Amino acid sequence: DADVTQTPRNRITKTGKRIMLECSQTKGHDRMYWYRQDPGLGLRLIYYSFDVKDINKGEISDGYSVSRQAQAKFSLSLESAIPNQTALYFCATSDPSRQGATDTQYFGPGTRLTVL
Amino acid sequence: AQTVTQSQPEMSVQEAETVTLSCTYDTSESNYYLFWYKQPPSRQMILVIRQEAYKQQNATENRFSVNFQKAAKSFSLKISDSQLGDTAMYFCAFMKPTGNQFYFGTGTSLTVIP
């Protein structure tokens, strides 16, 4: 079974609709992240959470909100979707085991969102 | 701010040959981490290799190795004995120890030709 899962895998919606993307992980990691990937721009950080009560904005948080319902769950919401939010969205987790340790991020399979 | 630059949007290599993907970065940090991720057509992001800046020895992982030049802020990935399954988009990423934020390059699309 996958350690980091995302639902849905694909979604088509209309401008103005509210949509939620969900991420769950079984790795037991405290840190979770949401990225979007656009062609030619690589991955950009939207929000990140170091634990249930710690949520931080990333590089491109405008138009998005998040909810950390539990250690294992981190949801991304688009309150009123617009076409330029059409992208591939990735959830990731990490777990720095000790100060100075390499902190690899583990990615989910991605959600392809299309806003018409 | 940290920036990561991958100057080769597309590359190709013959099967069994060696290819090197380039990555440069800009930072004022002295301690940081560098990564290469692979994204095949399945779109899953897969860790290929990682390097800690305070380690002078270049990281290796089977057919994958890096050439880390800290002074030049360069972090290239060498793939030896290229295989068809290596066909993918490759992303270079930089991470500061504090804040745990990743900064990704724009990617290099690698095609392995049979």
Side-chain angles (χ1 to χ4, degrees), chain A residues 35-36 38 44-47 57-64:
Chain A
Y35 293 89
R36 66 176 279 174
D38 298 278
R44 292 180 292 166
L45 183 64
I46 305 172
Y47 270 94
K57 293 182 178 180
E59 180 186 359
I60 52 165
S61 59
D62 287 349
Y64 301 94

Side-chain angles (χ1 to χ4, degrees), chain A residues 9 33 100 102-105, chain B residues 33 37 43-44 50 52 100:
Chain A
R9 292 295 309 276
Y33 310 79
T102 303
D103 189 6
T104 301
Q105 295 198 2
Chain B
Y33 304 105
Y37 279 87
R43 79 190 190 201
Q44 179 76 46
R50 60 193 181 208
E52 294 151 341
N100 195 220

Side-chain angles (χ1 to χ4, degrees), chain A residues 9-10 31 33 35 37 40 42-43 45 48 50 88 90 94 100-105 107-110 112, chain B residues 31 33 35 37 39 42-45 47 50-52 54 89 91 95 97 99-107:
Chain A
R9 292 295 309 276
N10 296 280
R31 299 185 175 188
Y33 310 79
Y35 293 89
Q37 182 181 17
L43 279 76
L45 183 64
Y48 61 102
F50 284 178
L88 185 57
F90 283 100
S94 69
T102 303
D103 189 6
T104 301
Q105 295 198 2
F107 287 82
R112 184 168 297 283
Chain B
N31 190 25
Y33 304 105
F35 303 81
Y37 279 87
Q39 186 180 40
S42 67
R43 79 190 190 201
Q44 179 76 46
M45 292 287 287
L47 176 68
R50 60 193 181 208
Q51 173 80 43
E52 294 151 341
Y54 61 86
M89 182 74 80
F91 291 95
M95 189 197 83
N100 195 220
Q101 294 187 50
F102 268 44
Y103 299 89
F104 284 86
T106 53

Side-chain angles (χ1 to χ4, degrees), chain B residues 11-24:
Chain B
M11 294 190 71
S12 61
V13 62
Q14 290 291 138
E15 192 175 7
E17 296 295 311
T18 295
V19 64
T20 299
L21 280 57
S22 300
C23 174
T24 59

Side-chain angles (χ1 to χ4, degrees), chain A residues 15-30:
Chain A
T15 297
K17 293 291 187 181
R18 183 179 188 276
I19 187 164
M20 179 181 289
L21 308 182
E22 298 187 351
C23 176
S24 296
Q25 52 114 347
T26 59
K27 300 182 77 67
H29 289 174
D30 285 329

Side-chain angles (χ1 to χ4, degrees), chain A:
Chain A
D1 290 339
D3 295 319
V4 184
T5 58
Q6 293 183 233
T7 55
R9 292 295 309 276
N10 296 280
R11 180 71 182 267
I12 300 173
T13 191
K14 294 182 178 180
T15 297
K17 293 291 187 181
R18 183 179 188 276
I19 187 164
M20 179 181 289
L21 308 182
E22 298 187 351
C23 176
S24 296
Q25 52 114 347
T26 59
K27 300 182 77 67
H29 289 174
D30 285 329
R31 299 185 175 188
M32 298 186 73
Y33 310 79
W34 276 105
Y35 293 89
R36 66 176 279 174
Q37 182 181 17
D38 298 278
L41 293 179
L43 279 76
R44 292 180 292 166
L45 183 64
I46 305 172
Y47 270 94
Y48 61 102
S49 170
F50 284 178
D51 63 41
V52 175
K53 296 182 180 180
D54 180 14
I55 293 177
N56 306 277
K57 293 182 178 180
E59 180 186 359
I60 52 165
S61 59
D62 287 349
Y64 301 94
S65 62
V66 292
S67 173
R68 185 81 184 267
Q69 301 95 325
Q71 186 204 38
K73 296 183 182 296
F74 192 37
S75 300
L76 176 72
S77 293
L78 288 68
E79 297 300 326
S80 179
I82 56 177
N84 75 2
Q85 290 177 314
T86 292
L88 185 57
Y89 289 84
F90 283 100
C91 175
T93 73
S94 69
D95 181 21
S97 58
R98 63 185 185 277
Q99 186 176 3
T102 303
D103 189 6
T104 301
Q105 295 198 2
Y106 299 89
F107 287 82
T111 294
R112 184 168 297 283
L113 176 66
T114 303
V115 183
L116 301 176

